[in-house]
Amino acid sequence: MLTTNEIQAARVHAAGSGATTQSILATAPDRDFWERDLLRHTYRARLAIEDDADALLEEIRKSFRSRPAVELIASLAGVDTGGNVGDIQEGLARHPLVVIHFLLVDDFAQYKTSAAVADIAEAYLPNSELAACRRRNDEYDRQLLLMHLYLRKPEALRYVQGLNDWHRKGAAPMVLKEKVRDGATKLEDFLVRKNIDPALADLRKKHPAHPRLHYVMTVPRKDDGQLVFLRRNLHPDYVWNDDGTDVHHGQKSEWIILHFKDGGRALKVCSVTSEVPRLVADRIATAFFGSDVHYVDDLQAASDAAIENFLAAITDPGDGRLPILEIVAANSPLRGGHKVTITNESDRNIIDGIDHFEEAVGDLFDDLDNLARIKVAFVSGKRKNRISLFFPKKNGTRVVQYDDGRLDKNRCAEFERFMQDEFSIKVRSTESKGGKR
């Protein structure tokens, strides 16, 4: 999570700027902000219904159904909030400009992870507004959070956009190959445009064929390092217009997200490609530490004994800390060494099935090299997450990996702490960016 003090002290450095008061509602929504910065394709369609009262009312009824949402917009448009929701919605239709701003906010809210919205909202919104955005089940109303956030600090939606991508992707853990002393300045103060742009320019000079990298923003994480967001063209692409009569040519873009931790000694990388993120991270770290340094894959070793103790615990009916939902074993005790899968789509463990199989056929856990995958149920708050675990050898080192791309990063951190605290096992992402050095 972000910290309000850090952000208000200008430790979030973003490209561009936006309006910061409710005065933005008095003018048309900024096209560059919605189409370029937030990548909303609905901007023109929303503006097109400004003079169509019937279409506007239909969209209001479709998008704003809760009383808190319609009352918030009504209070800003000067509409009476004394009637029922339907009455308020009809009143809002007479104030198209204000409504269109919030229709765009609602469009933006679609498919955004709750973690990304909450992380930014909790940094910017006062407790009173956060409380007003909670439902009866104590979960946040994502739409309402973003509406309040747009009013208080519109450009913060850019940070939601970035964190949404970060929360949805796996992150390859890396560490510095070399031992270093602390940098001359704090890392959070160093990771700003004036220091990062020269590192990007230096990389481009040495690799002119690579697409140009663009610094977008740095977002601090409370007690968890800093996120540097970069963007670059990935490969040529094209899109058709709605009528299917014309093609717009351009480039498919890639987010590169560098999560610097432990004062820059550790790093997690979210990206499509492997080499470029590693090279640019090396450049940034070299500039920060003042010496030539390189990141390599962080292979957090786990002993066979620790893994065997872990497997014994989760297959113990009396344990219950981490129900086992699936096991996939290669080279099984079956004649011919076929792969065996024992699974359960519900949250009920499969211990009885494993016991029955081993009684009838043979041991499934006698060789860790044959253990292709297990799936467990991890409880986080009120949610149960199905997590796949793998036990490969990397460069001769046994590691425990998990599929972190299916959890938001807050739950990933929680799961990693759980595995360390409960079973003394360090787990790492299945992602890997180290390559060959």
Side-chain angles (χ1 to χ4, degrees), residues 250-409:
Q251 291 279 333
K252 182 74 173 178
S253 64
E254 173 190 17
W255 275 111
I256 293 175
I257 308 171
L258 305 176
H259 186 187
F260 291 95
K261 300 162 68 73
D262 191 22
R265 292 173 177 80
L267 175 75
K268 287 190 174 184
V269 179
C270 297
S271 65
V272 176
T273 54
S274 296
E275 182 185 26
V276 172
R278 191 178 71 243
L279 291 175
V280 72
D282 289 350
R283 291 294 189 286
I284 294 172
T286 293
F288 174 66
F289 289 109
S291 60
D292 195 24
V293 295
H294 307 84
Y295 287 101
V296 295
D297 280 331
D298 183 9
L299 299 179
Q300 303 175 51
S303 69
D304 284 5
I307 297 174
E308 288 165 0
N309 290 338
F310 166 69
L311 293 173
I314 65 174
T315 54
D316 179 355
D319 192 292
R321 285 175 290 175
L322 206 61
I324 182 169
L325 308 178
E326 181 174 284
I327 176 174
V328 179
N331 195 24
S332 75
L334 292 174
R335 186 179 296 117
H338 303 290
K339 182 180 290 186
V340 167
T341 300
I342 303 174
T343 189
N344 185 355
E345 294 182 357
S346 73
D347 292 330
R348 186 175 63 85
N349 69 54
I350 57 169
I351 294 174
D352 54 351
I354 293 173
D355 289 345
H356 190 189
F357 181 93
E358 292 187 329
E359 288 172 6
V361 180
D363 194 349
L364 286 170
F365 299 102
D366 59 345
D367 187 345
L368 290 178
D369 289 334
N370 291 335
L371 190 56
R373 181 183 73 242
I374 67 171
K375 190 172 291 185
V376 295
F378 174 62
V379 178
S380 173
K382 297 180 180 179
R383 297 186 182 183
K384 287 186 178 180
N385 305 279
R386 298 171 68 92
I387 300 177
S388 293
L389 291 167
F390 309 85
F391 308 90
K393 280 187 176 178
K394 298 283 186 179
N395 299 331
T397 300
R398 178 81 65 188
V399 297
V400 181
Q401 297 181 321
Y402 75 108
D403 183 6
D404 61 331
R406 302 186 67 179
L407 300 174
D408 67 59
K409 292 297 180 291

Side-chain angles (χ1 to χ4, degrees), residues 22-182:
Q22 295 180 19
S23 62
I24 58 171
L25 301 180
T27 59
D30 181 79
R31 176 179 170 181
D32 284 346
F33 177 71
W34 289 103
E35 285 199 334
R36 182 195 63 195
D37 297 344
L38 300 184
L39 305 176
R40 297 316 308 158
H41 67 282
T42 57
Y43 175 83
R44 299 182 194 190
R46 291 309 192 190
L47 266 291
I49 63 173
E50 181 177 0
D51 297 321
D52 187 338
D54 290 338
L56 186 65
L57 181 57
E58 180 180 350
E59 291 303 313
I60 291 170
R61 286 172 172 164
K62 184 189 305 180
S63 302
F64 308 116
R65 300 178 180 181
S66 72
R67 190 171 191 93
V70 295
E71 284 187 347
L72 176 60
I73 303 171
S75 67
L76 297 163
V79 173
D80 181 19
T81 59
N84 59 38
V85 169
D87 293 334
I88 302 173
Q89 289 170 332
E90 290 181 6
L92 291 178
R94 295 190 289 272
H95 299 270
L97 197 55
V98 173
V99 169
I100 286 171
H101 278 274
F102 290 104
L103 285 173
L104 287 167
V105 173
D106 179 64
D107 292 340
F108 176 77
Q110 305 305 311
Y111 307 112
K112 296 298 182 292
T113 64
S114 297
V117 177
D119 280 357
I120 302 300
E122 288 175 350
Y124 283 104
L125 300 182
N127 289 335
S128 59
E129 291 184 18
L130 291 172
C133 294
R134 287 197 181 275
R135 299 191 178 103
R136 290 181 180 178
N137 63 359
D138 206 37
E139 297 284 338
Y140 283 124
D141 183 320
R142 186 174 53 193
Q143 180 195 60
L144 203 55
L145 272 183
L146 287 169
M147 289 167 66
H148 280 280
L149 193 61
Y150 181 62
L151 290 171
R152 186 166 290 273
K153 200 169 183 71
E155 64 267 30
L157 268 60
R158 295 189 181 102
Y159 313 146
V160 175
Q161 178 84 2
L163 283 194
N164 183 68
D165 199 69
W166 178 65
H167 276 296
R168 289 182 180 276
K169 288 184 175 179
M174 309 188 78
V175 292
L176 283 181
K177 183 179 180 180
E178 302 81 4
K179 292 188 178 297
V180 293
R181 295 181 178 180
D182 290 339

